[in-house]
Amino acid sequence: MKNHMLDKNAQKIVTALEQDARMSFAALGDEIGMSKTPCWNKVQQLQASGVIEGYSAQLNPKALGLTIRALVHVVVDFEHYQAFEQAINAHKAVRSCHAVTGDSDYVLEILASDIEAFDELLRAQLSRLPGVQRFNTAISTRMVKNNGPYAAMLT
Amino acid sequence: MKNHMLDKNAQKIVTALEQDARMSFAALGDEIGMSKTPCWNKVQQLQASGVIEGYSAQLNPKALGLTIRALVHVVVDFEHYQAFEQAINAHKAVRSCHAVTGDSDYVLEILASDIEAFDELLRAQLSRLPGVQRFNTAISTRMVKNNGPYAAMLT
DNA sequence: CAGTTTTTAAGAACATCGTTCTGGAAATAA
DNA sequence: TTATTTCCAGAACGATGTTCTTAAAAACTG
């Protein structure tokens, strides 16, 4: 959260590791034209400075049986927003939650195994979270693009 | 995209690897109570079956200087939706794009380095993509939750 | 400019890990 | 039961992560 100017090598490293987090340091070194030792040092530094937060396996939600995805816009009573956010963080079906400007206060990304489970989730659980006043649900019918790399956005 | 019932060990594996993709097979074996050989075999199988699609470094967009995130609802002329989707996939500033039900046709997740760059992006680039008819932009003021694990959603 | 310090990279060395192979136990079928 | 198959543990070996040492390049000082 400090250095807003990564040097060229650091950019190549994060680009490569965002695409394949298990690449060996030797292979990483080949891509950026260094041996593996300074390469390893740079990665340690990127981790310590918070640029690299971790490494994650990319799972296929459909292969896990999670076939329904929805974007749910929520209006929340301002008095209870803290309890609402806490409940959102605890809820496993919520993949992401943004506080947003505009007509709604939050936008949730929610997954469910099928449409019945999603209906139950919406009616029995999310609507009863603290402070929730109104919903507006948009079912995602197709993922046109997913996980576009951050590293590619640097200029 | 086939086996919708992962056994208990497979669930533990994807849970662990979604949290730390660089964990060693020995450590993975410790967590699920197996030696590393069958552990390695199961991971190979999960990759081959498409449950694990890859491994990615989790980058911190703020640390990269990407301070603005927005959810943009777009209405697209049906005649040009293919060209629109192609352009979205090619555009680096778009992190994700859902086709959705409801008032809009698509919801984009967009990042920019600052609000001026975002304004330029919206006016000069996205509004000129093929088929775009209307926008509705919600700036994300805070990430309440991010990357909630898929593996935790399995019942 | 010369001399000093600091930074950065490369290569060797060693412990760890990924990957393969083999044998044997547990499960399934006949 | 016997035979067949599936699954797991351990050994073995090559590849990799990590540390240490040294040297070259860069930055700084007089």
Side-chain angles (χ1 to χ4, degrees):
Chain A
M1 207 93 64
K2 39 178 61 164
N3 180 18
H4 281 193
M5 278 304 167
L6 274 58
D7 61 44
K8 203 171 179 182
N9 283 342
Q11 278 200 25
K12 288 183 184 174
I13 286 176
V14 295
T15 300
L17 287 182
E18 198 179 18
Q19 203 191 344
D20 178 10
R22 303 190 89 168
M23 185 184 309
S24 76
F25 285 102
L28 206 54
D30 285 347
E31 282 208 12
I32 73 178
M34 284 200 315
S35 72
K36 63 182 186 175
T37 303
C39 209
W40 184 86
N41 284 323
K42 273 217 170 295
V43 170
Q44 295 299 116
Q45 167 189 328
L46 287 166
Q47 290 173 173
S49 66
V51 174
I52 297 177
E53 292 181 331
Y55 304 92
S56 173
Q58 295 175 305
L59 305 182
N60 180 343
K62 287 185 186 171
L64 295 172
L66 299 167
T67 64
I68 302 293
R69 190 188 302 253
L71 303 176
V72 181
H73 293 240
V74 189
V75 176
V76 173
D77 174 18
F78 184 74
E79 307 256 329
H80 301 97
Y81 84 94
Q82 286 175 330
F84 172 79
E85 293 185 4
Q86 197 174 337
I88 286 300
N89 269 296
H91 201 119
K92 296 179 188 303
V94 180
R95 169 121 171 119
S96 69
C97 172
H98 296 267
V100 293
T101 65
D103 295 331
S104 323
D105 297 319
Y106 297 94
V107 178
L108 314 179
E109 182 186 5
I110 291 180
L111 286 101
S113 55
D114 52 47
I115 201 72
E116 287 84 7
F118 176 71
D119 182 67
E120 198 274 341
L121 179 61
L122 213 62
R123 293 185 194 281
Q125 299 182 48
L126 296 181
S127 69
R128 293 179 185 164
L129 294 187
V132 170
Q133 293 187 337
R134 251 196 332 280
F135 272 172
N136 191 314
T137 300
I139 301 276
S140 169
T141 53
R142 193 157 40 93
M143 270 290 232
V144 176
K145 188 175 188 177
N146 192 22
N147 288 333
Y150 285 128
M153 297 177 185
L154 307 176
T155 73
Chain B
M1 205 95 61
K2 39 177 59 165
N3 180 19
H4 283 190
M5 276 307 168
L6 273 60
D7 60 45
K8 201 170 181 182
N9 283 342
Q11 279 200 26
K12 288 184 184 174
I13 286 177
V14 294
T15 300
L17 287 182
E18 198 178 18
Q19 203 191 343
D20 177 10
R22 303 190 87 167
M23 183 183 311
S24 76
F25 285 102
L28 205 54
D30 284 347
E31 281 208 12
I32 73 178
M34 284 200 314
S35 72
K36 62 182 184 174
T37 302
C39 211
W40 184 86
N41 284 324
K42 273 217 171 294
V43 170
Q44 295 298 116
Q45 167 189 329
L46 288 166
Q47 289 174 170
S49 67
V51 173
I52 297 177
E53 293 182 329
Y55 304 92
S56 172
Q58 295 175 305
L59 305 182
N60 180 343
K62 286 184 187 170
L64 295 172
L66 299 166
T67 63
I68 302 292
R69 191 189 301 254
L71 303 177
V72 181
H73 293 240
V74 189
V75 176
V76 173
D77 174 17
F78 184 72
E79 307 256 330
H80 300 98
Y81 84 94
Q82 286 174 331
F84 171 79
E85 292 185 4
Q86 197 175 337
I88 287 301
N89 269 296
H91 201 118
K92 296 177 187 303
V94 180
R95 168 119 171 120
S96 68
C97 171
H98 296 267
V100 293
T101 65
D103 294 332
S104 325
D105 298 318
Y106 296 94
V107 178
L108 314 179
E109 183 185 3
I110 291 180
L111 285 100
S113 55
D114 53 46
I115 201 72
E116 288 84 6
F118 175 71
D119 182 67
E120 197 274 340
L121 179 62
L122 214 61
R123 294 187 193 280
Q125 299 183 46
L126 296 181
S127 68
R128 294 178 184 165
L129 294 187
V132 170
Q133 293 188 337
R134 253 198 327 281
F135 271 172
N136 192 312
T137 300
I139 300 277
S140 168
T141 54
R142 193 157 40 91
M143 271 290 234
V144 176
K145 188 174 188 178
N146 192 21
N147 288 332
Y150 286 130
M153 298 177 184
L154 307 175
T155 74

